Amino acid sequence: MVVQAAPITLDFDEGLDRKTLKQLCGRFLQVNEVRWQRARSALASRQQALLDILPLIFHVNHPALPGYLDYDCPYGMSNYQPSAEVLRAAHRLARPFALKDAGRRKPDIEALFLMGSPGTLGHSVASDLDVWLCHRKDLNEAGVRLLERKSSQVSAWAASLGLELHIFVFSASDWRAGRQRAEVNGENCGSAQHYLLLDEFYRTGIHLGGCYPLWWLIPVADEPRYQARARQLIECRFIRSEDYIDFGAVPGIPQEEFLGAGVWQLYKGIDAPWKSLLKLLLIECYARDRAGGLLSLAFKDAVYRGETNADRLDPYVLLYERLETWLLSISASNRLELIRKSLYLKAGLPLSRAEAAAEGWRGRLLSDLVKGWAWDNATLKTLDNRHQWKAGDVQTLRRAIVNELTHSYRLLSRLARTHAGKASISAEDMGLLGRKLYAAFQRKAGKVELINPNLAPSLAEENLAFYHQSEQTGHEAADGWLLYRDLEVSSDAFWQPVIRRSNNLTEMLVWCYCNGLLTSSTRLNVRAGASALTVGELRELLEALGAGLPLPVAPASRDALKARARPLRTLLFINVATDPQAHLTERGLHKLSSRHDSLGFSGGRENLVHNIDQITLNSWHEVSLHHYSAGDTLIQCLKNYLATVVGSPSQLPRLSVHCSSLGHGSAIARRVYELFSDVQDTFFAGGCGPQQLRYVIEMNRRFFVLQFAAREPGFVSLESRSELLGFLQRPQQEYAPVLFDRYAMLEDPALRAVCHATQPDNVQVFYQVAGTRAALWVVDERGSVSSWQQAFTSRRHLLAPLWRFFNNLIERRQLRFASGSAGGLSECICYELVTREGQWQVERRSGMEDDVPLDGLDVQAVGVQEGGSHLRFDMFCGDQEFNVQEYGDQLIPAVAHYIRSLRQSGEHYPIYLTDVHLPHDLDSHGYQQDLQTTQYLYYRLQLEHALNQAVLHPR
């Protein structure tokens, strides 16, 4: 091999000759041949056939060769003639294959290149193969599609050989014009970069067949006049246009392209940090040290100067030397050390082991670099034994990586502020990449940090000990947990290093599980202290995690990142390391009642849910944990759960609930699961919502009403049944029926039956007679529920006053609305509550037994509200007016006295208001065009009660 040849100088002004150009092209091909051989030698013997016949597959369209689709797929590669070795390889693969003369036809394919790490120090068994397939510029769209389909077939064949092959189909003219058809995915930078990718192509590309790059023949000094020099070569017939393919020059990289390219490398660096760190540093180097030039130009200049040693021209060696020079110039020794480790780990050659010597040229080249770094043997052994790395080792390296990625991100942010308007990355791709970065690196409350982004093959531990701090202090008040690698006896805790500290056991467990420290084969040790934790419970929790949160989690898809993050899986761990019945057992309350509802257990109606750990995996594949242990634990958790799912009601997460078998665990888990499932199925019925309703939950002798305001869930806590009834009577913005949890208000089945039978746009009256008393419920057009009891003499006397009142209300509304409707209120409907076979039912009744109304005095109340004063009423009894300004606080007694004076018999039967008028500024926050029936009924009941009290107890 010729290592150093004489320099070649091309003088376009003084004159060129074809012999020198041919010699120059041959020099590039000489380097190309060595790289091709190196790329081939890195493959297994059966995989080598891929590189051997890949140009032939596209040169001919033969049904016996891999990738064949149909007869009209474009084929033919410019200036390509398969060698005897290639034909033999094709025959070994497909015996029926025979090369036929296609005649004189215009080839459809201009060139084929392999680019990236193959044939370089950075290539490893895990590296993929990226191929550029360049078709002629006038190939029609149907032909391009056929080539893309054939490329996919060839990639599938490569996969059957154990190779990851990506073939990118385009024309050189489209490339020069910046017309790209690609999207951002695992192997394509989409719109993120153009010149940087071309720079990489020119210094790493391996020519497989077809035309040669015209760029080879333009000296570095003439790069600014690239187009003029190219025309000169072609027009003066020093070269034939059909012999060369032109991707254009590589000028100085535009500042705005660094933004897109940098974000793209950050995107890649999440899952494969070593290569991306090298490229991120190169991007920063290009941006900050423009005088240093591009690596592609350094490579071309070296070839012109006579350098043909493939080791010296290795793209990764050139990359490292460029970064080393720059980082030393800015005194960034720590960053340089990280780059050295990145290059070493990217190469994947364990130099401390004997087998590395078998790697030939790669082992020799890497050894030469390492000698210059002055690494000792201990450093090499540490890097070579990544399979033995533990959590602490990974976290140390991860901190260095995250610091570097953060540094790059800040640089990109500064570029974004200055050049975002000209950035060569599209807004869609920018948002996509930013979301992946956010999901991977953004710290936020409750998020479980993943410490091993492909830094070590496994962090699994053989032994783990969970140690409660009270074990060490002897004080039950001491809280928190420590994680040790092994802890046979408690006294060892003073000498063992702590892997992790946490106030919450579940957080520690999930962190261990998600980062691979804890597996089904890990031996567990527990020092529970004041907690109730056992090894058995730990095993149960681990099994529940494995079932509800399977690992490993694949990277989030493009479609998932394009949308807002939504929960995919939610796990609820109830009462971890807690015995919920410990205090009940001490008091003997667990035996006092047959009540088995876990939220109102036994005679004390105890809520057995003491703490909850909510674990969520979202569509961006972030895992988060939130702990609830104070206040209304279950209600807080339910509220936050609903807040996370409201954005995607048609795609509710998979829910699972686990509670330790200790203390009715299965019953508690089942009850919580039923509650969450019932609530979400109710509010998001039919895959839409949230539905407008009020959901009542009874727990621990209290009531909670859940209702959405717009898309925000809210709870109201009510201490008693009377408070609940008062709350249900309140006005609503729209129809909001009342629904009950399956265990709520079981001791008031009548109310449950009433609320179950409600419907919008009507006033519904429900009654139940029990001897001389009657219970009444009125549900108005928006679902507000009013209830009271009164004396019962007859059905007519019970209902007629109500009907008279509601008819006046509906009539007044009909007069107000031009359409003749009653503002959404159509009629009054009457039901009686009865029991059938022990079940409460409602049966419809007529409102009046006949059309003859009750005789009696018209008693009306007209509300008056002046300024900030409270609402007062003028009263009218027939033609007699009682004005509040005249009577003041004595108005009610005066009205009662007047009515009593009209009763000749002196009987004390109830007074009923026939009509109530309310001002439209009843709500101090604004004018109300139409008041709700429950508002009229509320004041009617208040006034009636006051009048009847005054009649019975006159002053």
Side-chain angles (χ1 to χ4, degrees), residues 1 23 67 123 130 169 191 207 237 287 301 358 365 424-425 427 480 546 594 637 656 676 867 901 919 939 953:
M1 177 192 302
Q23 180 185 2
H123 186 76
D130 289 344
V169 180
S191 63
H207 177 259
R237 299 186 180 180
D301 185 61
L365 184 54
S424 59
I425 183 172
S594 60
C637 180
S656 57
F676 276 64
S901 68
Y939 288 105
H953 306 288

PDB file of all heavy atoms in Angstrom, residues 1 23 67 123 130 169 191 207 237 287 301 358 365 424-425 427 480 546 594 637 656 676 867 901 919 939 953:
ATOM      1  N   MET A   1       0.849  -1.189   0.000  1.00  0.00           N
ATOM      2  CA  MET A   1       0.000   0.000   0.000  1.00  0.00           C
ATOM      3  C   MET A   1       0.889   1.245   0.000  1.00  0.00           C
ATOM      4  O   MET A   1       1.835   1.348   0.759  1.00  0.00           O
ATOM      5  CB  MET A   1      -0.904   0.008   1.248  1.00  0.00           C
ATOM      6  CG  MET A   1      -1.770   1.244   1.349  1.00  0.00           C
ATOM      7  SD  MET A   1      -2.559   1.398   2.977  1.00  0.00           S
ATOM      8  CE  MET A   1      -3.467  -0.138   3.053  1.00  0.00           C
ATOM      9  N   GLN A  23      -5.581  10.384 -12.111  1.00  0.00           N
ATOM     10  CA  GLN A  23      -4.726   9.986 -10.991  1.00  0.00           C
ATOM     11  C   GLN A  23      -5.362  10.387  -9.657  1.00  0.00           C
ATOM     12  O   GLN A  23      -5.340   9.629  -8.681  1.00  0.00           O
ATOM     13  CB  GLN A  23      -3.350  10.652 -11.145  1.00  0.00           C
ATOM     14  CG  GLN A  23      -2.365  10.309 -10.038  1.00  0.00           C
ATOM     15  CD  GLN A  23      -1.067  11.095 -10.173  1.00  0.00           C
ATOM     16  OE1 GLN A  23      -0.909  11.922 -11.080  1.00  0.00           O
ATOM     17  NE2 GLN A  23      -0.129  10.834  -9.280  1.00  0.00           N
ATOM     18  N   GLY A  67     -35.235  -8.633  -3.156  1.00  0.00           N
ATOM     19  CA  GLY A  67     -35.858  -7.333  -3.366  1.00  0.00           C
ATOM     20  C   GLY A  67     -36.711  -7.226  -4.605  1.00  0.00           C
ATOM     21  O   GLY A  67     -37.342  -6.192  -4.823  1.00  0.00           O
ATOM     22  N   HIS A 123     -17.111   1.737  13.844  1.00  0.00           N
ATOM     23  CA  HIS A 123     -18.056   0.680  13.479  1.00  0.00           C
ATOM     24  C   HIS A 123     -18.019  -0.440  14.507  1.00  0.00           C
ATOM     25  O   HIS A 123     -16.954  -0.810  15.013  1.00  0.00           O
ATOM     26  CB  HIS A 123     -17.707   0.123  12.102  1.00  0.00           C
ATOM     27  CG  HIS A 123     -18.720  -0.872  11.598  1.00  0.00           C
ATOM     28  ND1 HIS A 123     -19.933  -0.491  11.111  1.00  0.00           N
ATOM     29  CD2 HIS A 123     -18.682  -2.228  11.527  1.00  0.00           C
ATOM     30  CE1 HIS A 123     -20.611  -1.565  10.742  1.00  0.00           C
ATOM     31  NE2 HIS A 123     -19.881  -2.628  10.991  1.00  0.00           N
ATOM     32  N   ASP A 130     -26.191   2.577   6.401  1.00  0.00           N
ATOM     33  CA  ASP A 130     -26.970   3.602   5.702  1.00  0.00           C
ATOM     34  C   ASP A 130     -26.479   3.699   4.264  1.00  0.00           C
ATOM     35  O   ASP A 130     -25.280   3.900   4.017  1.00  0.00           O
ATOM     36  CB  ASP A 130     -26.821   4.955   6.387  1.00  0.00           C
ATOM     37  CG  ASP A 130     -27.530   5.001   7.734  1.00  0.00           C
ATOM     38  OD1 ASP A 130     -28.369   4.124   7.983  1.00  0.00           O
ATOM     39  OD2 ASP A 130     -27.249   5.910   8.528  1.00  0.00           O
ATOM     40  N   VAL A 169     -33.623   6.865  -0.849  1.00  0.00           N
ATOM     41  CA  VAL A 169     -33.764   7.006  -2.297  1.00  0.00           C
ATOM     42  C   VAL A 169     -34.026   8.477  -2.634  1.00  0.00           C
ATOM     43  O   VAL A 169     -34.993   9.071  -2.148  1.00  0.00           O
ATOM     44  CB  VAL A 169     -34.927   6.123  -2.812  1.00  0.00           C
ATOM     45  CG1 VAL A 169     -35.080   6.277  -4.322  1.00  0.00           C
ATOM     46  CG2 VAL A 169     -34.683   4.662  -2.428  1.00  0.00           C
ATOM     47  N   SER A 191     -35.687  17.296   8.316  1.00  0.00           N
ATOM     48  CA  SER A 191     -35.311  18.638   7.893  1.00  0.00           C
ATOM     49  C   SER A 191     -34.239  19.240   8.782  1.00  0.00           C
ATOM     50  O   SER A 191     -33.905  20.404   8.638  1.00  0.00           O
ATOM     51  CB  SER A 191     -36.563  19.528   7.930  1.00  0.00           C
ATOM     52  OG  SER A 191     -37.042  19.627   9.257  1.00  0.00           O
ATOM     53  N   HIS A 207     -17.957   4.477  -1.994  1.00  0.00           N
ATOM     54  CA  HIS A 207     -18.562   4.321  -3.313  1.00  0.00           C
ATOM     55  C   HIS A 207     -18.739   2.838  -3.611  1.00  0.00           C
ATOM     56  O   HIS A 207     -17.787   2.060  -3.622  1.00  0.00           O
ATOM     57  CB  HIS A 207     -17.653   4.973  -4.366  1.00  0.00           C
ATOM     58  CG  HIS A 207     -18.146   4.808  -5.766  1.00  0.00           C
ATOM     59  ND1 HIS A 207     -17.628   3.868  -6.630  1.00  0.00           N
ATOM     60  CD2 HIS A 207     -19.107   5.479  -6.457  1.00  0.00           C
ATOM     61  CE1 HIS A 207     -18.246   3.959  -7.788  1.00  0.00           C
ATOM     62  NE2 HIS A 207     -19.138   4.935  -7.705  1.00  0.00           N
ATOM     63  N   ARG A 237     -14.670  19.449 -21.347  1.00  0.00           N
ATOM     64  CA  ARG A 237     -14.610  18.006 -21.611  1.00  0.00           C
ATOM     65  C   ARG A 237     -13.420  17.308 -20.950  1.00  0.00           C
ATOM     66  O   ARG A 237     -12.872  16.345 -21.473  1.00  0.00           O
ATOM     67  CB  ARG A 237     -14.595  17.744 -23.117  1.00  0.00           C
ATOM     68  CG  ARG A 237     -15.844  18.265 -23.804  1.00  0.00           C
ATOM     69  CD  ARG A 237     -15.894  17.884 -25.252  1.00  0.00           C
ATOM     70  NE  ARG A 237     -17.099  18.385 -25.884  1.00  0.00           N
ATOM     71  CZ  ARG A 237     -17.417  18.199 -27.172  1.00  0.00           C
ATOM     72  NH1 ARG A 237     -16.585  17.507 -27.954  1.00  0.00           N
ATOM     73  NH2 ARG A 237     -18.530  18.686 -27.656  1.00  0.00           N
ATOM     74  N   ALA A 287     -19.446  25.544  15.117  1.00  0.00           N
ATOM     75  CA  ALA A 287     -20.112  26.824  15.339  1.00  0.00           C
ATOM     76  C   ALA A 287     -19.179  27.853  15.965  1.00  0.00           C
ATOM     77  O   ALA A 287     -19.263  29.045  15.666  1.00  0.00           O
ATOM     78  CB  ALA A 287     -21.341  26.617  16.225  1.00  0.00           C
ATOM     79  N   ASP A 301      -8.302  17.640   1.527  1.00  0.00           N
ATOM     80  CA  ASP A 301      -6.988  18.274   1.441  1.00  0.00           C
ATOM     81  C   ASP A 301      -5.867  17.270   1.695  1.00  0.00           C
ATOM     82  O   ASP A 301      -4.819  17.308   1.040  1.00  0.00           O
ATOM     83  CB  ASP A 301      -6.912  19.423   2.444  1.00  0.00           C
ATOM     84  CG  ASP A 301      -5.624  20.215   2.323  1.00  0.00           C
ATOM     85  OD1 ASP A 301      -5.380  20.785   1.234  1.00  0.00           O
ATOM     86  OD2 ASP A 301      -4.855  20.250   3.309  1.00  0.00           O
ATOM     87  N   ALA A 358      -7.375  -9.480  18.367  1.00  0.00           N
ATOM     88  CA  ALA A 358      -7.854 -10.152  17.157  1.00  0.00           C
ATOM     89  C   ALA A 358      -8.619  -9.215  16.239  1.00  0.00           C
ATOM     90  O   ALA A 358      -8.985  -9.596  15.136  1.00  0.00           O
ATOM     91  CB  ALA A 358      -8.749 -11.334  17.549  1.00  0.00           C
ATOM     92  N   LEU A 365      -5.373   0.618  15.890  1.00  0.00           N
ATOM     93  CA  LEU A 365      -5.620   2.052  15.788  1.00  0.00           C
ATOM     94  C   LEU A 365      -6.116   2.620  17.123  1.00  0.00           C
ATOM     95  O   LEU A 365      -5.660   3.682  17.566  1.00  0.00           O
ATOM     96  CB  LEU A 365      -6.659   2.311  14.684  1.00  0.00           C
ATOM     97  CG  LEU A 365      -6.987   3.764  14.351  1.00  0.00           C
ATOM     98  CD1 LEU A 365      -5.735   4.557  14.034  1.00  0.00           C
ATOM     99  CD2 LEU A 365      -7.968   3.827  13.166  1.00  0.00           C
ATOM    100  N   SER A 424     -33.083  25.540   9.682  1.00  0.00           N
ATOM    101  CA  SER A 424     -33.396  24.598   8.617  1.00  0.00           C
ATOM    102  C   SER A 424     -34.151  23.381   9.120  1.00  0.00           C
ATOM    103  O   SER A 424     -34.345  22.427   8.389  1.00  0.00           O
ATOM    104  CB  SER A 424     -32.103  24.133   7.937  1.00  0.00           C
ATOM    105  OG  SER A 424     -31.245  23.519   8.883  1.00  0.00           O
ATOM    106  N   ILE A 425     -34.575  23.414  10.358  1.00  0.00           N
ATOM    107  CA  ILE A 425     -35.447  22.362  10.875  1.00  0.00           C
ATOM    108  C   ILE A 425     -36.871  22.901  10.884  1.00  0.00           C
ATOM    109  O   ILE A 425     -37.107  24.059  11.214  1.00  0.00           O
ATOM    110  CB  ILE A 425     -35.011  21.934  12.293  1.00  0.00           C
ATOM    111  CG1 ILE A 425     -35.890  20.783  12.796  1.00  0.00           C
ATOM    112  CG2 ILE A 425     -35.022  23.080  13.267  1.00  0.00           C
ATOM    113  CD1 ILE A 425     -35.399  20.175  14.100  1.00  0.00           C
ATOM    114  N   ALA A 427     -40.822  23.476  11.921  1.00  0.00           N
ATOM    115  CA  ALA A 427     -41.436  23.704  13.232  1.00  0.00           C
ATOM    116  C   ALA A 427     -41.967  22.395  13.808  1.00  0.00           C
ATOM    117  O   ALA A 427     -41.878  22.148  15.012  1.00  0.00           O
ATOM    118  CB  ALA A 427     -42.565  24.720  13.094  1.00  0.00           C
ATOM    119  N   GLY A 480     -38.625   7.370  56.542  1.00  0.00           N
ATOM    120  CA  GLY A 480     -37.705   7.287  55.424  1.00  0.00           C
ATOM    121  C   GLY A 480     -37.071   5.917  55.307  1.00  0.00           C
ATOM    122  O   GLY A 480     -37.045   5.114  56.256  1.00  0.00           O
ATOM    123  N   GLY A 546     -44.547  -5.726  37.716  1.00  0.00           N
ATOM    124  CA  GLY A 546     -44.273  -6.476  36.499  1.00  0.00           C
ATOM    125  C   GLY A 546     -45.503  -6.662  35.637  1.00  0.00           C
ATOM    126  O   GLY A 546     -45.436  -6.639  34.405  1.00  0.00           O
ATOM    127  N   SER A 594     -71.486  -5.518  60.512  1.00  0.00           N
ATOM    128  CA  SER A 594     -71.364  -6.356  59.316  1.00  0.00           C
ATOM    129  C   SER A 594     -71.032  -5.531  58.081  1.00  0.00           C
ATOM    130  O   SER A 594     -71.017  -6.051  56.976  1.00  0.00           O
ATOM    131  CB  SER A 594     -72.677  -7.112  59.082  1.00  0.00           C
ATOM    132  OG  SER A 594     -73.748  -6.199  58.894  1.00  0.00           O
ATOM    133  N   CYS A 637     -56.421  11.696  45.288  1.00  0.00           N
ATOM    134  CA  CYS A 637     -55.885  10.828  44.225  1.00  0.00           C
ATOM    135  C   CYS A 637     -56.873  10.724  43.076  1.00  0.00           C
ATOM    136  O   CYS A 637     -56.486  10.826  41.909  1.00  0.00           O
ATOM    137  CB  CYS A 637     -55.566   9.452  44.809  1.00  0.00           C
ATOM    138  SG  CYS A 637     -54.887   8.289  43.613  1.00  0.00           S
ATOM    139  N   SER A 656     -54.897  -0.514  37.256  1.00  0.00           N
ATOM    140  CA  SER A 656     -54.781  -1.669  38.142  1.00  0.00           C
ATOM    141  C   SER A 656     -54.536  -1.167  39.553  1.00  0.00           C
ATOM    142  O   SER A 656     -53.899  -0.132  39.759  1.00  0.00           O
ATOM    143  CB  SER A 656     -53.649  -2.608  37.698  1.00  0.00           C
ATOM    144  OG  SER A 656     -52.417  -1.928  37.627  1.00  0.00           O
ATOM    145  N   PHE A 676     -62.854   3.971  41.119  1.00  0.00           N
ATOM    146  CA  PHE A 676     -62.201   4.672  40.007  1.00  0.00           C
ATOM    147  C   PHE A 676     -62.855   4.306  38.681  1.00  0.00           C
ATOM    148  O   PHE A 676     -63.091   5.177  37.830  1.00  0.00           O
ATOM    149  CB  PHE A 676     -60.707   4.349  39.981  1.00  0.00           C
ATOM    150  CG  PHE A 676     -59.880   5.202  40.901  1.00  0.00           C
ATOM    151  CD1 PHE A 676     -60.050   5.156  42.275  1.00  0.00           C
ATOM    152  CD2 PHE A 676     -58.914   6.064  40.404  1.00  0.00           C
ATOM    153  CE1 PHE A 676     -59.299   5.940  43.134  1.00  0.00           C
ATOM    154  CE2 PHE A 676     -58.155   6.861  41.237  1.00  0.00           C
ATOM    155  CZ  PHE A 676     -58.350   6.801  42.612  1.00  0.00           C
ATOM    156  N   GLY A 867     -79.017  47.810  46.459  1.00  0.00           N
ATOM    157  CA  GLY A 867     -77.604  47.950  46.804  1.00  0.00           C
ATOM    158  C   GLY A 867     -77.041  46.626  47.298  1.00  0.00           C
ATOM    159  O   GLY A 867     -77.282  45.561  46.742  1.00  0.00           O
ATOM    160  N   SER A 901    -106.501  36.192  60.699  1.00  0.00           N
ATOM    161  CA  SER A 901    -107.769  36.911  60.926  1.00  0.00           C
ATOM    162  C   SER A 901    -108.824  36.542  59.900  1.00  0.00           C
ATOM    163  O   SER A 901    -110.029  36.706  60.147  1.00  0.00           O
ATOM    164  CB  SER A 901    -107.525  38.423  60.899  1.00  0.00           C
ATOM    165  OG  SER A 901    -107.179  38.858  59.590  1.00  0.00           O
ATOM    166  N   PRO A 919     -85.669  39.114  41.913  1.00  0.00           N
ATOM    167  CA  PRO A 919     -84.955  40.065  41.041  1.00  0.00           C
ATOM    168  C   PRO A 919     -83.866  39.348  40.236  1.00  0.00           C
ATOM    169  O   PRO A 919     -83.309  38.339  40.672  1.00  0.00           O
ATOM    170  CB  PRO A 919     -84.342  41.054  42.033  1.00  0.00           C
ATOM    171  CG  PRO A 919     -84.167  40.265  43.284  1.00  0.00           C
ATOM    172  CD  PRO A 919     -85.333  39.304  43.336  1.00  0.00           C
ATOM    173  N   TYR A 939     -86.757  30.037  48.189  1.00  0.00           N
ATOM    174  CA  TYR A 939     -87.339  31.172  48.913  1.00  0.00           C
ATOM    175  C   TYR A 939     -88.793  30.898  49.286  1.00  0.00           C
ATOM    176  O   TYR A 939     -89.278  31.357  50.329  1.00  0.00           O
ATOM    177  CB  TYR A 939     -87.205  32.448  48.097  1.00  0.00           C
ATOM    178  CG  TYR A 939     -85.775  32.951  48.054  1.00  0.00           C
ATOM    179  CD1 TYR A 939     -84.994  32.807  46.914  1.00  0.00           C
ATOM    180  CD2 TYR A 939     -85.207  33.532  49.178  1.00  0.00           C
ATOM    181  CE1 TYR A 939     -83.673  33.246  46.891  1.00  0.00           C
ATOM    182  CE2 TYR A 939     -83.889  33.977  49.155  1.00  0.00           C
ATOM    183  CZ  TYR A 939     -83.128  33.830  48.016  1.00  0.00           C
ATOM    184  OH  TYR A 939     -81.830  34.258  48.001  1.00  0.00           O
ATOM    185  N   HIS A 953     -97.166  30.472  66.435  1.00  0.00           N
ATOM    186  CA  HIS A 953     -96.603  31.097  67.630  1.00  0.00           C
ATOM    187  C   HIS A 953     -96.644  32.621  67.488  1.00  0.00           C
ATOM    188  O   HIS A 953     -95.620  33.289  67.330  1.00  0.00           O
ATOM    189  CB  HIS A 953     -95.160  30.629  67.852  1.00  0.00           C
ATOM    190  CG  HIS A 953     -95.023  29.134  67.886  1.00  0.00           C
ATOM    191  ND1 HIS A 953     -95.465  28.369  68.941  1.00  0.00           N
ATOM    192  CD2 HIS A 953     -94.491  28.275  66.965  1.00  0.00           C
ATOM    193  CE1 HIS A 953     -95.212  27.099  68.695  1.00  0.00           C
ATOM    194  NE2 HIS A 953     -94.620  27.007  67.505  1.00  0.00           N
TER     195      HIS A 953
END
